Amino acid sequence: GLSRLFEGAPIDRGPEGPELSRYTIRAEGRRVELSLAPRADADDGLVALASIVSKLLRERWMGVFNAYWAVR
C-alpha cells in the first residue's frame, strides 16, 4: 500500500469508502493530499484526459517492451 511507497512518511487517513478515499502524506517539509475516486473520469474532463494519455503511453511502452523481447 501507500506505506511501502512512502516508507517512513506519516500518512493521515481521511474518509475511506467505495466512492472516495483521502490521504495526506507528510515528508521532508512537504505535504501531499491524495484523493482516490473510482470512475472519476466520468465526472471530470481533466481526469478523463489524463486517463487517455496514460493509456496511450502504456500502449506505446508495451510496444517497445514487446519488440525488445521479440528480438531476443
Side-chain angles (χ1 to χ4, degrees):
L2 289 175
S3 299
R4 282 184 285 174
L5 289 173
F6 299 98
E7 191 173 327
I11 300 174
D12 300 326
R13 292 185 172 154
E16 291 181 301
E19 297 299 318
L20 177 66
S21 295
R22 289 195 174 156
Y23 306 93
T24 302
I25 304 159
R26 301 172 196 282
E28 300 176 13
R30 298 181 185 182
R31 185 177 94 190
V32 175
E33 294 184 15
L34 178 64
S35 297
L36 304 173
R39 295 169 295 287
D41 57 335
D43 297 326
D44 188 319
L46 286 177
V47 174
L49 179 61
S51 178
I52 292 168
V53 169
S54 66
K55 289 174 185 173
L56 175 66
L57 289 173
R58 180 190 64 212
E59 290 302 315
R60 295 287 170 103
W61 279 108
M62 286 307 298
V64 170
F65 179 81
N66 289 332
Y68 172 80
W69 288 108
V71 169
R72 295 192 155 266

